[in-house]
Amino acid sequence: MPKRVDHGERRGEIAEALVRVAGRRGLHAVGMRDVAAEAGVSLRLVQYYFETKEKLLLFGLEYLAERFGERVAARVRAAGPSPGPRATVEALLMAALPVDEESRTFHLLYTSYAVLSVHDRTLAAQPFIRNPDAAEEVVSELLRRAHESDRLASGLDPRLEAAGLLAMSAGLGTSILVGQRTPESAAEVLTHHLDRIFGARDGDTCAHDTSAHDA
Amino acid sequence: MPKRVDHGERRGEIAEALVRVAGRRGLHAVGMRDVAAEAGVSLRLVQYYFETKEKLLLFGLEYLAERFGERVAARVRAAGPSPGPRATVEALLMAALPVDEESRTFHLLYTSYAVLSVHDRTLAAQPFIRNPDAAEEVVSELLRRAHESDRLASGLDPRLEAAGLLAMSAGLGTSILVGQRTPESAAEVLTHHLDRIFGARDGDTCAHDTSAHDA
DNA sequence: GATTTCGTGGTACGAACGTACCATGATGAT
DNA sequence: ATCATCATGGTACGTTCGTACCACGAAATC
């Protein structure tokens, strides 16, 4: 046999090219030729490693979700050794906010895929719809743990609060994306809401400044 | 002069056709010919009333926002005569959730436009980006009024709470849209959050049942 | 050394899309 | 009655896109 190329690696490079060009020009404006040019390969090669555009897009979504999952996990780990529930949740949600180019791209493409999935059965069946469910499970569990150690505000349903928290975070992310809100004001809204969910009394590794508190 | 047709009315009909077909097949899959067929006119007529596709899409967005604004306003009015702040806010947010076909379409298309606006300067300059700002102003003002009449939970910043509330509502809407959450569970999350913002003690014209309260 | 198979390139084809062009009733002003 | 003008239809053009087809070099197996 000839050259023996690692298909997985090559597919990853092409998928990354897809994500880059889609983040730059929008997913709707991305064609096979654009991806090929961005990856520095010929159109034929993109066809070779992904038979069809649909499969390329599907793999791109996988790739995107995986990369972003790693990012969030890294940010949570960076929150310090054995952080409290509050710090963990805060790191999780803050890492998901579109503040830099990478997270902006993720938010944009994820939303694009979500919109497409409404009328595309193949996309709708993709696990990216289970990803938020997993996140909700994690946050819910963290809140439950905080509740048991009595670090939660009184009478809160961890499951409902987790759902609300994630929805708010996603909504704030979209607001940032379209330029309606600055990352700072979004973070402020989120922090205040966390203050109310948790007692807002414990330090808990978290450090948000009380200065500069206006609109 | 000949026939004299009301351009505004005709443009409205075509825009409605655009919204219908876009809601059915997705905004990305809509072409001039589809809109023409849906409106029951020739392709040439769509060109005649909207010179270009871009202008058609722009007008479609206007049309969409206007229609939905009216819908929300109607729902708020239907909340009863001189409703309290809680009932008003609740009616507002609940009316925005994608529970029926009309609101589903609105959410879907609004999100589609938002995604497009990230890389389209003309769309980004459109007033639909100011619409959420207006909503935030309204909710913020309602919360402020509730705060002054002491019907708000202690120590809440109306502006921040309004922002968080709308972001959560939007996020929940997206969750419903992609099928991750049922309208009922989303409403439950929203209601609980409202319970915590308001004292959860006043009847305030609102009636949410305390039965059937599980997942 | 011959051959089979993998990786790669170039290119062509058919479809769809937005837009432009040309034509033609119908109607109100002159 | 004539004519300019509005509304409308049909259609053709150029482009772009996804996909299919054909060709060739290189390397590992026999």
Side-chain angles (χ1 to χ4, degrees):
Chain A
M1 317 280 179
K3 245 199 198 174
R4 300 295 297 159
V5 171
D6 187 335
H7 274 224
E9 191 174 339
R10 191 76 94 170
R11 284 164 64 93
E13 293 171 12
I14 297 179
E16 187 180 321
L18 163 66
V19 168
R20 272 203 306 270
V21 65
R24 193 159 21 166
R25 288 196 282 235
L27 188 61
H28 68 283
V30 171
M32 305 280 281
R33 288 166 177 84
D34 302 301
V35 176
E38 179 76 19
V41 299
S42 71
L43 168 62
R44 180 64 183 88
L45 268 220
V46 180
Q47 281 189 266
Y48 181 70
Y49 287 101
F50 305 89
E51 320 265 331
T52 174
K53 187 187 183 183
E54 185 184 11
K55 294 181 183 174
L56 169 61
L57 289 179
L58 248 47
F59 187 82
L61 176 57
E62 264 184 60
Y63 179 82
L64 193 71
E66 191 176 326
R67 286 252 305 204
F68 198 72
E70 292 169 4
R71 176 198 158 109
V72 172
R75 294 286 186 101
V76 169
R77 278 195 304 272
S82 74
R86 156 84 194 236
T88 305
V89 171
E90 188 162 356
L92 200 97
L93 297 181
M94 289 299 186
L97 284 187
V99 294
D100 54 20
E101 212 47 41
E102 187 184 9
S103 49
R104 274 187 66 88
T105 296
F106 173 77
H107 251 273
L108 174 66
L109 298 191
Y110 191 86
T111 308
S112 301
Y113 277 115
V115 163
L116 290 182
S117 79
V118 172
H119 291 103
D120 187 84
R121 332 190 138 269
T122 312
L123 267 180
Q126 220 62 13
F128 90 110
I129 208 66
R130 280 204 307 275
N131 215 325
D133 269 338
E136 190 171 322
E137 198 67 38
V138 169
V139 173
S140 188
E141 179 57 32
L142 283 168
L143 292 187
R144 196 165 5 247
R145 226 179 298 169
H147 182 258
E148 284 167 2
S149 57
D150 205 33
R151 279 187 286 185
L152 215 58
S154 62
L156 286 187
D157 184 332
R159 181 141 207 105
L160 288 177
E161 291 298 328
L165 210 38
L166 283 168
M168 181 185 293
S169 176
L172 288 172
T174 304
S175 298
I176 297 173
L177 205 61
V178 301
Q180 188 213 345
R181 191 174 298 281
T182 68
E184 291 76 23
S185 83
E188 190 187 2
V189 171
L190 212 51
T191 303
H192 269 258
H193 190 229
L194 286 172
D195 283 344
R196 293 192 52 230
I197 287 184
F198 296 89
R201 34 174 154 63
D202 51 353
D204 200 2
T205 318
C206 97
H208 60 280
D209 54 358
T210 50
S211 66
H213 195 252
D214 42 317
Chain B
M1 316 286 178
K3 245 199 196 172
R4 300 295 297 156
V5 171
D6 186 335
H7 274 224
E9 192 172 340
R10 190 75 94 172
R11 284 164 62 94
E13 294 171 12
I14 296 178
E16 187 180 320
L18 163 66
V19 168
R20 273 203 307 268
V21 66
R24 189 154 4 109
R25 288 196 281 235
L27 188 61
H28 68 282
V30 170
M32 305 281 281
R33 289 167 176 83
D34 302 301
V35 175
E38 178 76 19
V41 300
S42 71
L43 168 62
R44 179 66 181 86
L45 267 221
V46 180
Q47 283 190 267
Y48 182 69
Y49 287 102
F50 304 89
E51 320 266 331
T52 175
K53 187 188 183 183
E54 184 184 11
K55 294 181 182 172
L56 170 61
L57 289 178
L58 249 47
F59 187 82
L61 176 57
E62 263 184 63
Y63 179 82
L64 193 70
E66 192 176 325
R67 287 253 305 203
F68 198 72
E70 292 169 5
R71 175 197 159 109
V72 171
R75 294 285 186 102
V76 168
R77 278 195 304 271
S82 74
R86 155 86 194 235
T88 304
V89 171
E90 188 163 357
L92 201 96
L93 297 181
M94 290 298 186
L97 284 187
V99 294
D100 54 20
E101 212 46 42
E102 187 184 7
S103 49
R104 274 188 66 88
T105 296
F106 172 77
H107 251 273
L108 174 67
L109 298 190
Y110 190 86
T111 308
S112 301
Y113 276 116
V115 163
L116 291 182
S117 79
V118 172
H119 291 104
D120 188 84
R121 332 190 137 269
T122 313
L123 268 180
Q126 220 62 14
F128 90 112
I129 209 64
R130 278 205 310 273
N131 217 325
D133 269 339
E136 190 171 322
E137 198 66 40
V138 169
V139 173
S140 186
E141 179 57 31
L142 284 168
L143 292 187
R144 195 163 8 247
R145 227 179 296 169
H147 182 259
E148 284 167 2
S149 57
D150 206 32
R151 278 186 288 186
L152 215 59
S154 62
L156 286 187
D157 185 332
R159 182 140 208 106
L160 287 178
E161 291 299 328
L165 211 37
L166 284 168
M168 181 184 294
S169 176
L172 288 172
T174 304
S175 297
I176 297 174
L177 205 61
V178 300
Q180 189 212 344
R181 192 175 298 280
T182 69
E184 292 76 22
S185 83
E188 190 187 1
V189 171
L190 213 51
T191 304
H192 268 259
H193 189 227
L194 285 172
D195 283 345
R196 296 192 50 229
I197 288 183
F198 295 89
R201 34 174 154 67
D202 51 354
D204 200 1
T205 318
C206 97
H208 60 282
D209 53 359
T210 51
S211 66
H213 195 250
D214 43 316

